[in-house]
Structures are given as structure tokens and as C-alpha cells.
Amino acid sequence: MASEAAKETANPGSVRPGGRTARVRSAVLRAAGDALAEHGLAGLDLADVARRAEVGRTTVYRRWGNPVALVADLLVEMAEQSLPRTETGTLAGDLRANARLVRRTLADPRQGPLFKAVIAAATCDSRAAAALHRFYETRVDEWAPCARQAVERGELPPGTDAREVIRAVSAPLYYRLLTTAEPLDEAAADRAADAAAAAARAGAFVTTAE
Amino acid sequence: MASEAAKETANPGSVRPGGRTARVRSAVLRAAGDALAEHGLAGLDLADVARRAEVGRTTVYRRWGNPVALVADLLVEMAEQSLPRTETGTLAGDLRANARLVRRTLADPRQGPLFKAVIAAATCDSRAAAALHRFYETRVDEWAPCARQAVERGELPPGTDAREVIRAVSAPLYYRLLTTAEPLDEAAADRAADAAAAAARAGAFVTTAE
DNA sequence: GCCATAACGGTACTCCGGTTCCATTAGTTG
DNA sequence: CAACTAATGGAACCGGAGTACCGTTATGGC
């Protein structure tokens, strides 16, 4: 009896997710990414996004409603498409590869501003924050195995928290991106990787018992 | 001849910076801090700030104009008041003290959200970004001596970049704050300090020649 | 291929964030 | 302490962001 009363008005796009709806979504998300990269989160105007996506203004307001909700959806999309990791055989090599990949992303003229905007959105809205956390969770999980293998190889002490090692590589790069005016060059990436490797070897990421 | 043509309309508050003007500024900045801590950057409404500060709506719009400009000014204020650092006599001790101070700040129910908001603002506006960079520059400079002393003591290799060591302590804490849902506990702070110390001892922050 | 309806998109409207105007208050200067 | 004017703040105003309405399109089930 509750069949039509229960769902009320489930978000548009959830009942007929194929065809046009999917096309609209991807066009809007792409446009939103462009707009974010250009003007940042504060300059994100839904009407402008609709224009760029060649989609009705009404549609964007109905399906997303506000800028941060749109960013949250963009993050879900971004989390889905992860790029493969490279394996070099040594911890130092793997971490450098990771650091350089992160650096290249953050220094990219489109991706860099986009990541900044997405982080800003996460600080404003808990749904966006959850989406961002998920995004980084998948990214870290993708690379954690290289630290785990280093433990097996004997390069790192047993009990080392593999995910924490990977996070230690990214952290200085994000910190530099957000809090300094200095450029994110390859030297900074290598330094971040080397520092993480050194700290890991010294046992800084060994989880004590628990 | 250019005496009155040159300045045009210098921002209100710059000609008579004393008395009431200063009082209004500090009331507005305090109110802005409260509002940011509560609703985040996206929820920052200038009219609301004016109400909290018991100041005319017009005044806030005239002197700051938009949310990010207000945040930028707030950052200038925050940069001025730096808290003194404690000295323990060893690198490990000093870095732990620093890490715990940073952690306490970021975990604070008012300061934490405020810092998030301020970082978000910096990603939206270059003036806010410049103010944020200045803020961290002064904070890092405040603590860099402890790494410099460690070099003199022989705890760290010569040529170590002291400021980079301090940044390495904060980086994982900010990274965790922004990209994960995990809490910022004291263990995380100590781990950050230990990792930075280990990396520094291993020479990860030695600036090669130049 | 046909029907029911989810989802889109144009138009008209509303409401409030932001501005303008001007009278009032209070620093600052001589 | 008097005159000058920067700065404030109330009130009226304006424009555009966001909403409501409804006809049109095309998806998904049969």
C-alpha cells in the first residue's frame, strides 16, 4: 500500500538512470569541473554550469540544487575512475612514482584548481566531505600494497601501517599546495617520497599492538 | 594636483583607523570567526555577521564586500597574534610539542572549523590565499629555530632546511583533517612528529647545493 | 512499436542578497 | 572646544539567483 507514498520524490535521475539522464549528468559534471577549475568554488554558478553543459537551467537546480551538492556528485564520479599504479620493485621507487603522480595531478592547470575547489567544498558540507573521504580512501587503498610488499621484502619493519605510509607521501604535497605560495616541483615530490620512506624505515608508522 | 584624484575612494577605515572604526573591525572579525566556525565558508552571510557584531549591514558590505575578502582580513588579524613556542631541549621533544599544539588547535571545536573555512577561502581567492600563506610563513618561522638548533647540536645533518622540517610535522595533521574522517588524536600528532624527526635525521630535508 | 510517465526545459514569478542614498555620529585637526 | 569630514547605519531600492508551473521529450516496460 505504501508503494507510492514511501519514496515520495526520490531524487530525479534515480528511477530512469539511463539514456538522456546519464548524458545530462555527465555533461553537467564535466561543465562543473571546468567551471570549478576556472573560477573556484566561490565562483560556481549553477546557471553558468547549465549554460556550459547546454542543459536546462531548471534541470541543474532540480537535480543538484546547490553548488556543494554538485561537487559532492562530481566527487563520486571522480572516485570511480582510478588510475593504475606502477610497480618498480623497491619501496623508494614506488613511493617516488606515487609522489610524482600526485604532484603532476596537483600541478596540472585543470586538475590542480579542481582539487582545491573540491577540498574547499568538503569543508562546507558533510556529504561532500564523505564523498571526498571515500575518494582518498580508494586512492590510498590502490597504492597501499606497495608498502605492504616492502614489509614482506624486509624493507620496512613488520607491523607498519601501509596506508599511513602512502598518506605520508601525499601529505606534504597537499600541505604545500594549500598553505604556501611555493611551486609544486618534482624536487618537492621526490623529497616527500624520500621523507616518507625514511620515516617508514625508522618505524614511525608501526602500529603498536592496538 | 592629484591629491584627491589619486586615492579615489581608499577603502573605508584606512583614513581614520582609530576609535570606532577599529572597534567595528574587531567586532566584525570576531563575529565572522564565530559564523565561520558554525556554518563554514559556504554558509557565511554578511548580513548575519553584521547582526552578530551589532553593526550596520551597510558597513560590512562597504568595508569588505564579499565573504572571502572578510576572511582574508580575518587572516591578517590571525597572523598578527602568534603564540609562543615551548622549548624542550631535544628535537623530538620540540617537534612533539609543536605537533600537539597544532593538533589541539585543529581539534578545537571552534578553531578546527575556522581553519577549515579559512583554507577553503584561500582556494577561492588569491588575496585570501596570500594572507593564508603569510599566516603559515610566520607560524613556521616561529618554530624553525628548534630544527636549526638541532643541527647545531648535531642531532640533524648540516644543510637541513629547518622550515621544511616544521612543515613536515604539520602536513600529515592537515592532510588527515581535510581528507579523512578519522579523528585527530594525540597519537596521530606524536606519529607526525616522530616521522618528521626520523626523516630529518635521515637527511630527507637537506637542501642539495642549490 | 506503443503506452505510461520520468525527466527535461522554457517562461513567468518571487524573494532576498547586495547597493545606493542620505541623515547622523564621532574621530581628528588646528 | 569648534569645525570639518570620515565612517556608520537606517531605509528604500534593484537585479538576479533560485522556484513553481506546465507543456514537451524520450526512456523503459510490455
Side-chain angles (χ1 to χ4, degrees), chain A:
Chain A
M1 63 174 181
S3 69
E4 81 267 14
K7 272 290 181 81
E8 285 200 324
T9 316
N11 329 3
S14 58
V15 178
R16 274 183 194 173
R20 180 168 61 163
T21 299
R23 229 154 39 232
V24 165
R25 185 175 110 107
S26 89
V28 168
L29 293 186
R30 183 189 336 282
D34 291 344
L36 281 178
E38 279 179 38
H39 308 303
L41 179 67
L44 188 65
D45 175 24
L46 296 201
D48 176 52
V49 170
R51 214 174 305 123
R52 288 169 185 255
E54 297 183 319
V55 152
R57 207 163 58 93
T58 314
T59 302
V60 177
Y61 281 112
R62 181 170 35 223
R63 282 188 59 181
W64 291 280
N66 59 65
V68 289
L70 179 54
V71 173
D73 198 25
L74 179 61
L75 272 164
V76 172
E77 169 111 333
M78 286 171 69
E80 278 161 14
Q81 51 192 50
S82 75
L83 26 167
R85 101 182 129 98
T86 55
E87 289 197 45
T88 65
T90 67
L91 177 71
D94 287 354
L95 294 189
R96 279 207 174 196
N98 177 242
R100 289 182 178 202
L101 175 64
V102 170
R103 184 207 78 89
R104 215 178 311 124
T105 305
L106 296 184
D108 182 85
R110 185 192 139 92
Q111 303 261 294
L114 177 57
F115 270 77
K116 279 188 182 180
V118 143
I119 290 169
T123 69
C124 297
D125 177 79
S126 64
R127 293 186 63 80
L132 187 75
H133 298 160
R134 231 189 100 76
F135 173 80
Y136 282 106
E137 207 172 22
T138 63
R139 289 298 171 102
V140 169
D141 285 345
E142 171 84 20
W143 283 85
C146 81
R148 224 166 280 129
Q149 288 163 3
V151 175
E152 286 161 18
R153 265 188 247 117
E155 282 193 79
L156 293 183
T160 295
D161 183 341
R163 308 159 100 235
E164 206 58 26
V165 176
I166 302 304
R167 291 200 191 104
V169 175
S170 286
L173 300 174
Y174 278 86
Y175 186 76
R176 177 177 270 242
L177 176 75
L178 295 171
T179 72
T180 78
E182 290 158 44
L184 264 178
D185 49 21
E186 197 130 290
D190 290 347
R191 202 183 321 128
D194 295 351
R201 272 188 226 106
F205 304 120
V206 174
T207 50
T208 55
E210 173 112 8

